[in-house]
Amino acid sequence: MNPPNPAGPAPRERTFRSVAPVISLCWLVVFFDGMDVNIYGAVMPHLIDDDGLGFTASTAGTIGSWTTFGMLIGALGCGSLTDWAGRKPMVTGSVVLFSLGSALCALAPSAAVFGAGRFVSGLGLGGLMPIGLAIVAEFAPPRRAALATGLMMTSYHAGGMVATGLGLALGPDHGWRVVFWFGVIPAVIAVPLVLKWLPESPGVLLAKGRTEAAEAVAARYRLPVPTCADAPEAGAKGRFSAVASLFGPGQRLATPLMWIASFAGLLLVYGVSTWLPELMRASGYSLSSSDTFLMVINAGGILGMLVAGRTADRFGAVKVSAVWFLLTACGAFLLKAQLPLGVAYAIVFVTGIWLFSAQVMVYAAAPSVYTPAQRATGLGWVTGVGRTGAVVGPWLGGAVVAGGNASLGFTTFAVAAVLGAVAISLVPLARRNGSDPGTVRPVPGVLRHSEGKILPKH
């Protein structure tokens, strides 16, 4: 029999309806994340054609890498800082940062200033994603964590489609600066909503000594009452210990494999998002149709998130991620051929179904590797180290386009997809082989959450 809950009786199980405000807010901020990331690729042809900025394909690729380098720093720092400052302040700060970066880009008189703006945007964009993933993983209904993650990530691709639409509608007649001004909107819309409605993590509240507030949030959203095991250790020592714990028994081999899979996935996501229009134009397609390919692949990404989420809840995120990576490799190889426009659109759409959700299922697999107290730090480092792939992707795409060999670009993306498939496939084996005798444990937090039990306080 469960003990009485001081914050009031909590229903046995969460539903999507009970946590809808939380997932909706995460959906909104990640929508703006996707819009900001994809704005750069959507206006890339106009930036290169702007003689005043002095952009070349190589310069554009380098600046794209500045953006993702900012993301790397943001993700690594935010994953640890969120356990100290709280998730709501870090979400707010991340949104403000990438909105300010967009404003700086819109005002930029030179490529150097533009690159600084993209770096500032990257700091906010990199910090936002691991926090949003950690929040959704914590508040998701039992046995629906992968689907909830996929639902949230549909917003990234919806944002990408909006960015592409803005580039197509406004870029030719009004210029690329107008498109970047739309990147300031998140600070106006999302920040007030986050400050008012986004709940703090009960585990973080408990770590700060706010026990009653932690229990109240748990009761309101039908979460288990937080325990000491769910609370991250406070202070600088706690942040260092949180990172060191990612290499504990059962994780010392799995963590590097998660990083490699994330590296490969983010190389694909950001390489394709930045360079697909130029690669398709280099393959002989027109400028207008090349831009439309970016919208088509993001449309496939939305469908892919829903399919992957439901499939992963049934068969496991690791298996789905591995298969999706391999299917992405097949799609990239097919795009090397000179295809009729309609066939090319179809292959790009189908490839989008696999490509983006392969990466997201790497994130969805994280709760099977890390405990609730490690979740924010673990996801921060999975996304942060993976951002090296996001740095390499745009730079590599720029080098390939500058060399005039679009076919080589598609081959590179296919090889990255195979690397991701191999790495994520080895995670379960690494967890078993990396565990000390007697320390193999069930998926952390899943049994308690999936059974809907509320544990007594320590």
Side-chain angles (χ1 to χ4, degrees), residues 339-369:
L339 302 167
L341 183 62
V343 176
Y345 278 136
I347 292 176
V348 167
F349 178 80
V350 172
T351 302
I353 293 177
W354 318 126
L355 187 156
F356 298 106
S357 49
Q359 168 63 28
V360 171
M361 289 304 104
V362 174
Y363 299 148
S368 68
V369 179

Side-chain angles (χ1 to χ4, degrees), residues 48-366:
I48 293 175
D49 293 341
D50 187 340
D51 295 332
L53 281 178
F55 264 60
T56 64
S58 179
T59 302
T62 300
I63 290 178
S65 294
W66 291 0
T67 310
T68 49
F69 182 66
M71 291 179 179
L72 186 155
I73 296 174
L76 293 180
C78 205
S80 298
L81 288 175
T82 186
D83 291 332
W84 167 71
R87 294 178 184 174
K88 180 186 287 191
M90 296 305 291
V91 168
T92 303
S94 296
V95 173
V96 169
L97 267 179
F98 70 72
S99 296
L100 287 174
S102 288
L104 184 58
C105 288
L107 296 168
S110 65
V113 176
F114 184 93
R118 291 306 292 166
F119 177 78
V120 171
S121 290
L123 292 174
L125 295 167
L128 180 62
M129 189 63 73
I131 303 173
L133 290 165
I135 292 172
V136 168
E138 182 174 11
F139 283 81
R143 301 176 299 278
R144 292 293 182 269
L147 178 57
T149 301
L151 283 171
M152 184 192 79
M153 291 302 297
T154 61
S155 61
Y156 179 91
H157 303 287
M161 293 179 68
V162 168
T164 305
L166 289 171
L168 287 170
L170 301 176
D173 296 327
H174 302 282
W176 58 266
R177 295 182 188 274
V178 173
V179 181
F180 273 98
W181 279 118
F182 277 85
V184 181
I185 292 176
V188 179
I189 295 179
V191 168
L193 294 175
V194 168
L195 290 174
K196 184 172 179 62
W197 298 110
L198 185 68
E200 188 54 85
S201 163
V204 172
L205 291 171
L206 184 64
K208 293 177 175 291
R210 299 174 60 187
T211 304
E212 291 185 2
E215 292 172 346
V217 172
R220 179 176 181 181
Y221 294 99
R222 309 181 186 180
L223 299 170
V225 173
T227 67
C228 294
D230 300 321
E233 187 178 347
K237 180 181 177 182
R239 292 192 290 278
F240 176 79
S241 299
V243 176
S245 72
L246 304 182
F247 295 89
Q251 299 162 335
R252 61 174 60 97
L253 299 177
T255 289
L257 287 169
M258 292 285 288
W259 291 356
I260 293 170
S262 185
F263 167 88
L266 286 171
L267 187 154
L268 285 165
V269 168
Y270 286 94
V272 170
S273 295
T274 301
W275 287 107
L276 181 64
E278 282 298 307
L279 285 174
M280 299 308 288
R281 185 160 71 162
S283 297
Y285 299 95
S286 67
L287 175 60
S288 59
S289 63
S290 296
D291 282 341
T292 308
F293 280 117
L294 194 59
M295 182 176 289
V296 170
I297 201 168
N298 276 288
I302 292 175
L303 177 60
M305 294 300 170
L306 300 175
V307 173
R310 292 185 66 88
T311 308
D313 280 330
R314 181 174 180 182
F315 297 105
V318 168
K319 293 179 181 178
V320 171
S321 181
V323 173
W324 264 226
F325 270 126
L326 291 176
L327 290 170
T328 298
C330 294
F333 271 121
L334 287 173
L335 288 174
K336 291 175 59 177
Q338 295 291 329
L339 302 167
L341 183 62
V343 176
Y345 278 136
I347 292 176
V348 167
F349 178 80
V350 172
T351 302
I353 293 177
W354 318 126
L355 187 156
F356 298 106
S357 49
Q359 168 63 28
V360 171
M361 289 304 104
V362 174
Y363 299 148

